[in-house]
Amino acid sequence: MTAAMHDATDVWRSPEDELLEAFLALDTPQGFKAELIEGEIVVTPPPDGDHETAIGRIVKQVFQQCAEDFDFGPGKGLVVPSGRFIPDGTFALPDAMAGKGSWSAPDGVVMTLEVTSTNPAKDRGAKRRGYAAAGIPLYLLVDRKAGQVVLHSHPEGGEYTATTSVPFGDPLPLPKPFGFDLATDRLS
């Protein structure tokens, strides 16, 4: 009787491993972003001007009105329990993103920012759950289709336990460490 010989590369791989490998091998066209969200590869085309203007207006307010110092990343890849997300914006403690690769754990991330575009359901559901499960303290969603700005806070057990929403035009109080009212009148 002879024992079967196995090549070291002949190892069982789960479908999740194969999906992650395929995702990481993607060659996404310039301007597009690819994310792995709850087992699905999602490729998003370049955003429109209103989308980018809303992000810029939020970033400007944070840097002008917040007493704390933050770093901002407009396309930092975050590894969360349910996938690999690229928020429209990431506010982090100083140097928390320094030296990190394209994809990293959200250590030091204080708030993620999403502005809805082609698939608002992902921003409202899967991304909210992913950011909460990763323990990111704040998730700010500019929901252009619903005409409102939503702040999710206090992550616990894979969900945010507090939500505050205001229609465009009403100020949205951002808690510490931000500690100011976000003007929403020019975010639509």
Side-chain angles (χ1 to χ4, degrees), residues 105-168:
D107 301 331
V109 172
V110 178
M111 181 169 73
T112 52
L113 164 65
E114 297 284 358
V115 177
T116 59
S117 52
T118 57
N119 194 349
K122 295 278 186 211
D123 293 331
R124 293 174 187 148
K127 285 196 159 187
R128 184 195 75 242
R129 289 187 297 274
Y131 296 140
I136 296 171
L138 301 169
Y139 171 39
L140 183 64
L141 174 63
V142 177
D143 194 331
R144 297 189 298 169
K145 293 221 183 232
Q148 64 183 357
V149 183
V150 182
L151 180 67
H152 300 283
S153 60
H154 304 290
E156 188 176 303
E159 273 295 343
Y160 286 105
T161 60
T163 300
T164 304
S165 62
V166 298
F168 288 141

Side-chain angles (χ1 to χ4, degrees), residues 33-93:
K33 73 178 180 182
E35 299 173 284
L36 183 58
I37 303 174
E38 295 183 337
E40 179 182 354
I41 295 175
V42 178
V43 178
T44 308
D48 62 34
D50 292 339
H51 180 277
E52 297 301 275
T53 299
I55 293 168
R57 288 181 174 154
I58 291 169
V59 171
K60 186 176 183 179
Q61 288 184 64
V62 168
F63 287 124
Q64 287 179 342
Q65 297 185 47
C66 187
E68 298 292 324
D69 185 26
F70 293 106
D71 288 341
F72 177 77
K76 176 67 184 101
L78 299 178
V79 179
V80 300
S82 57
R84 291 178 179 243
F85 298 0
I86 303 174
D88 290 326
T90 301
F91 292 93
L93 298 174

